Amino acid sequence: MHFAVSLNIAATGQDVLDFGQISAFVRQAEAAGVDMVIISDVAEGPSTSPFEATTLLAALATVTYRIGLVASASTLAHQPYNLARRFASLDIISHGRVGWNATLRQNPREAANFSRPEGFSDGDFRRRAEEYIGIVQGLWRSWDGDALLFDKAGGRFHDPDRMHMLDHKGEFFAVRGPLNVARSPQDTPVLVMSGLNETDRDFASRGADVILIAEQSADAANAATADLRRRALAAGRKPEGVMVLLTVAIESEPPIDGLRSLLGSSGCDGFNLVLPADVPALQNFTDRALPELRRDGLAGRGQQGATLRARLGLGTGGAK
Amino acid sequence: MTARRMKLGLFLWATGHHIAAWRHPDAHVTAGIDIEHYIQLARTAEAAKFDMVFCEDAAGLREANVNIASQTSRSIGFEPISLLSALAVQTERIGLVSTASTSYNEPYGLARTFASLDNLSGGRAGWNLVTSASPIEAANFGATGLRPHADRYARACEFATVITGLWHRKPAGHDGESFSVRDPLDVPPSPQGAPVMVQAGASDDGKDLAARTADVVFSAAQTFEEARAFYDDLKGRLAAYGRQPDDVKIMPGVAPIVAATKAEAQAKYDALQELIPDDVGVALLSSYLSISDLGRYPIDGPLPELPESEGMKSRQALVIEQARRDGLSIRELARYFAGARGHWRIVGTAEEIADELQERFEGGAADGFNVMPSWFPGELDAFATLVVPELQRRGLFRRDYEGRTLRDHLGLKRPI
């Protein structure tokens, strides 16, 4: 049973969280056995947070030890080469605990601030996002795991045959590579996909490590999970190589009994609880809900591996 | 009034600035994948009261020839903004400055990212604005060739205008040649108001942009005369933008090798020079000379006659002049330039190095220095324990931080 918590620090209309409060919350979640925390920072209106998600993640990586750390970053706000570098670096800084939540929804506010005032058509946005994500995953494989030799006497820092160009030329991007960041300690950072609609399911089941779904009922979640596993199998993956988490937004206290029964009948691998980004809600969650979730076995059952992949029981980096 | 004090930056670069640094027996060879190494370096610099640590950046490999690249440590490393964000919560006072290119970023995104770093660090962030001039980088961003210099600077100027507008809470809305931005920045200002702006361009376009927007300028100068000329030139451009000479701190790079005696320092330098593989040295020299086939000439022979470069004209002239003046072979010339990438190199005792720094600082050629240790951690430790105390004894460098933010350390005004 896997368990993630999502925190959108950009949610507006309340007191902002400072670094001490966010890190205290993440450390408590870590102590309670939460597998990963997913941080995003995009809202429809202006954010009130002092932080951007990937920089915050780098800082959190130095004050935590086991919990997975996932940041949302949009395909509108960064070039794929830059984003691949950012997450590869975060993964090394965290010793292999990082993931990228690639949301497949276009945010109009980002388009307006990133020199794309008209945005993309839905079809263009989807094809662009798919191409983008493929480039990032390809760049993450630029260096073989044993490429670095560190051979001082022989003067060989790396093995040139174990470094790979990407030479991607597509509809929206051309990227030669290789990445100038070493191979991830966990093979590749974990790729989380969210915001899927029906047409994204094939793509997500081919490439994602973790898929966040947000179905409204146990039946719907069951059907969506079965559908994603079927598609993963058809794409030549082991169905259990894709982790499906049901996203549940909670207002104050998670209804434990409801969660337990929902999970039992949803066919999912676990939950992603979306928490309000304010101090009382976080305190309530860590002080009251987490111990209960843990006692009921809903939290804290992750594998005790050092990396996020190991913790989630995932194989090496996603689909090829 | 307190005496004018020099500013010191620590230029971080994985294993060190010498091209063969990683082969030094005591160099931390896994530096490019070891965050603990960087935390330690930043803490050493903070204990020595450096103003800032500084990271350069390039979005691609440094060297196109894979066999040459594999004999250096420079093809992998941390993306600097992630690195500095991690250092922000592992240090308390030292400034954190990163390079980021205006060529392959968007101003709204970079404004948010640096504002976040500034908040994470309690007001210690700085941004070194560069335009990207490398075809290796261009190929990672869909470009088939480099954009002309003037176009890169036009984009950079627009970028600087937009990002400073966002940081300084100017009215929202920008619709320009390269960028459009609708909203005000959605990250609140840090204790220093806005990240410090750093630049290093030496062209006329670069110097004008720096005079208009920079708080700190990094420069490269071998001789006192060059350093003084650059200093006067840049400070002279400030008035046109309504700025005072002290509003911009000019910090040339310096690559010191220090030891208890001159002979010992020279021996340290010679040992490092011996570690440069000939083909690596010749490849670097070729890049300074903007030619591709230097390797076909006898390595112990003289530099051949070369056609004038269309690339880095001033660097080519400097190398050729050095070769002719000192009668250097290709091998000797390659080693000379591989050691410090054309930056000012001083080999000597702490007193001798302090003398040289003092001369430039007091002689109107520098407000401080960007220190480039040859290898890490050893040459940083040597500088921190030998040279810094000597500078402090002479009253040239602080014994403790004056404030909390990078602007405090540098004596810069808080932006309105």
Side-chain angles (χ1 to χ4, degrees), chain B residues 208-237:
Chain B
D208 274 330
L209 183 60
R212 186 161 70 83
T213 63
D215 299 305
V216 174
V217 173
F218 290 151
S219 60
Q222 291 272 350
T223 65
F224 179 90
E225 288 70 27
E226 283 172 59
R228 176 74 196 255
F230 180 89
Y231 190 93
D232 288 344
D233 179 357
L234 196 87
K235 299 257 175 173
R237 292 174 195 243

Side-chain angles (χ1 to χ4, degrees), chain B residues 213-331:
Chain B
T213 63
D215 299 305
V216 174
V217 173
F218 290 151
S219 60
Q222 291 272 350
T223 65
F224 179 90
E225 288 70 27
E226 283 172 59
R228 176 74 196 255
F230 180 89
Y231 190 93
D232 288 344
D233 179 357
L234 196 87
K235 299 257 175 173
R237 292 174 195 243
L238 294 174
Y241 301 100
R243 306 181 74 195
Q244 303 296 315
D246 209 34
D247 290 348
V248 178
K249 309 298 175 189
I250 296 176
M251 301 174 68
V254 59
I257 292 198
V258 58
T261 67
K262 176 104 179 169
E264 204 183 314
Q266 188 63 42
K268 279 165 72 174
Y269 178 57
D270 293 344
L272 263 175
Q273 292 292 86
E274 285 305 311
L275 294 173
I276 304 169
D278 286 332
D279 53 350
V280 171
V282 172
L284 268 176
L285 184 60
S286 301
S287 72
Y288 295 149
L289 292 168
S290 303
I291 65 165
S292 57
D293 57 354
L294 195 60
R296 71 189 174 88
Y297 296 95
I299 193 165
D300 288 315
L303 196 64
E305 291 300 324
L306 297 168
E308 195 188 337
S309 159
E310 283 306 311
M312 296 191 284
K313 287 180 196 289
S314 61
R315 187 74 71 95
Q316 187 196 44
L318 188 126
V319 173
I320 292 172
E321 189 200 311
Q322 180 100 20
R324 303 283 180 252
R325 190 178 62 225
D326 297 346
L328 299 178
S329 68
I330 290 175
R331 187 197 308 269

Side-chain angles (χ1 to χ4, degrees), chain A residues 41 47 49-52 55 58 62 81-82 85-86 89 109 112-115 151-153 157-158 160 174 176-177 180, chain B residues 22-25 27 57-58 60 70 72 77 79 85 90 104 106 112 116 119 139-140 142 179-180 182-183 186-188:
Chain A
D41 60 3
S47 165
S49 171
F51 309 118
E52 175 276 338
T55 45
T62 70
Y81 194 88
N82 293 339
R85 288 181 77 203
R86 179 73 54 85
S89 289
R109 192 166 175 275
N113 289 324
F114 287 83
S115 306
D151 174 9
K152 287 183 177 182
F157 187 81
H158 73 258
R176 187 187 290 160
N180 56 359
Chain B
W22 73 275
R23 300 186 66 194
H24 188 284
D57 191 38
S70 71
T72 76
E79 183 274 322
S85 304
Q90 295 295 323
Y104 309 120
E106 284 280 323
R112 283 190 94 215
S116 182
N119 280 314
N140 290 327
F179 308 109
S180 74
R182 187 188 65 194
D183 298 323
D186 60 352
V187 178

Side-chain angles (χ1 to χ4, degrees), chain B residues 6-12 17 50-57 84 94-100 114 124-130 153 196-203 206-211 213-222 226-227 230-231 234-235 247-254 315 341-344 365-372 406 410 412:
Chain B
M6 69 172 66
K7 310 301 172 191
L8 290 180
L10 170 63
F11 193 157
L12 294 174
H17 288 271
F50 273 74
D51 291 78
M52 63 185 126
V53 293
F54 166 69
C55 293
E56 54 74 62
D57 191 38
L84 294 183
I94 195 160
L96 305 164
V97 179
S98 175
T99 298
F114 275 101
R124 295 184 283 132
W127 170 43
N128 178 39
L129 177 159
V130 298
Y153 268 90
V196 168
M197 286 273 277
V198 182
Q199 279 175 53
S203 66
K207 284 188 283 200
D208 274 330
L209 183 60
T213 63
D215 299 305
V216 174
V217 173
F218 290 151
S219 60
Q222 291 272 350
E226 283 172 59
F230 180 89
Y231 190 93
L234 196 87
K235 299 257 175 173
D247 290 348
V248 178
K249 309 298 175 189
I250 296 176
M251 301 174 68
V254 59
R315 187 74 71 95
R341 294 187 282 118
H343 279 274
W344 182 32
D367 294 313
F369 302 94
N370 201 19
V371 179
M372 305 164 59
L406 177 54
L410 293 170
L412 293 168

Side-chain angles (χ1 to χ4, degrees), chain A residues 13-313:
Chain A
Q14 62 252 320
D15 291 340
V16 296
L17 298 168
D18 65 28
F19 182 72
Q21 289 163 334
I22 296 172
S23 61
F25 167 73
V26 174
R27 282 205 299 265
Q28 281 174 301
E30 175 174 81
V34 170
D35 290 295
M36 58 184 176
V37 57
I38 303 172
I39 293 183
S40 58
D41 60 3
V42 174
E44 296 301 317
S47 165
T48 48
S49 171
F51 309 118
E52 175 276 338
T54 64
T55 45
L56 177 62
L57 215 60
L60 288 172
T62 70
V63 297
T64 56
Y65 305 94
R66 300 188 309 279
I67 193 166
L69 300 166
V70 178
S72 301
S74 94
T75 55
L76 275 176
H78 309 262
Q79 287 275 342
Y81 194 88
N82 293 339
L83 194 74
R85 288 181 77 203
R86 179 73 54 85
F87 277 96
S89 289
L90 291 174
D91 209 40
I92 296 173
I93 290 168
S94 67
H95 304 288
R97 295 184 287 127
V98 154
W100 170 34
N101 180 15
T103 171
L104 296 180
R105 289 223 180 97
Q106 183 172 197
N107 183 306
R109 192 166 175 275
E110 284 189 335
N113 289 324
F114 287 83
S115 306
R116 295 277 185 185
E118 294 88 29
F120 292 93
S121 72
D122 285 350
D124 281 359
F125 184 79
R126 178 169 303 108
R127 290 199 314 285
R128 185 179 175 279
E130 292 188 7
E131 188 181 332
Y132 187 116
I133 291 167
I135 292 167
V136 169
Q137 286 190 306
L139 287 170
W140 283 342
R141 298 194 182 91
S142 293
W143 298 80
D144 293 345
D146 55 0
L148 301 181
L149 305 173
F150 305 123
D151 174 9
K152 287 183 177 182
R156 298 189 313 155
F157 187 81
H158 73 258
D159 180 346
D161 295 333
R162 296 180 202 177
M163 182 195 85
H164 311 292
M165 298 293 168
L166 183 66
D167 281 329
H168 171 88
K169 286 189 182 65
E171 183 183 358
F172 296 92
F173 302 102
V175 181
R176 187 187 290 160
L179 203 63
N180 56 359
V181 181
R183 190 63 175 256
S184 159
Q186 60 174 338
D187 185 39
T188 62
V190 169
L191 178 64
V192 180
M193 285 195 210
S194 63
L196 310 189
N197 61 27
E198 183 68 29
T199 45
D200 301 320
R201 283 190 180 177
D202 253 334
F203 174 64
S205 54
R206 280 201 309 275
D209 296 304
V210 176
I211 298 175
L212 305 180
I213 61 169
E215 316 301 314
Q216 297 298 316
S217 69
D219 284 350
N222 221 318
T225 305
D227 180 50
L228 288 165
R229 294 204 198 291
R230 200 162 45 238
R231 290 173 198 253
L233 189 65
R237 301 181 73 186
K238 289 181 183 164
E240 65 272 20
V242 185
M243 194 72 37
V244 182
L245 301 183
L246 179 60
T247 297
V248 181
I250 59 169
E251 292 302 321
S252 52
E253 221 174 316
I256 306 294
D257 290 343
L259 285 181
R260 192 191 297 110
S261 84
L262 186 58
L263 197 57
S265 55
S266 69
C268 298
D269 301 294
F271 277 114
N272 169 43
L273 284 193
V274 180
L275 301 182
D278 60 55
V279 172
L282 294 187
Q283 269 175 1
N284 191 40
F285 183 76
T286 51
D287 295 351
R288 299 175 59 186
L290 264 184
E292 200 174 340
L293 288 164
R294 195 173 196 193
R295 194 165 56 243
D296 285 23
L298 289 170
R301 292 278 183 82
Q303 306 288 317
Q304 291 310 301
T307 69
L308 179 55
R309 272 183 193 285
R311 191 174 178 96
L312 294 173

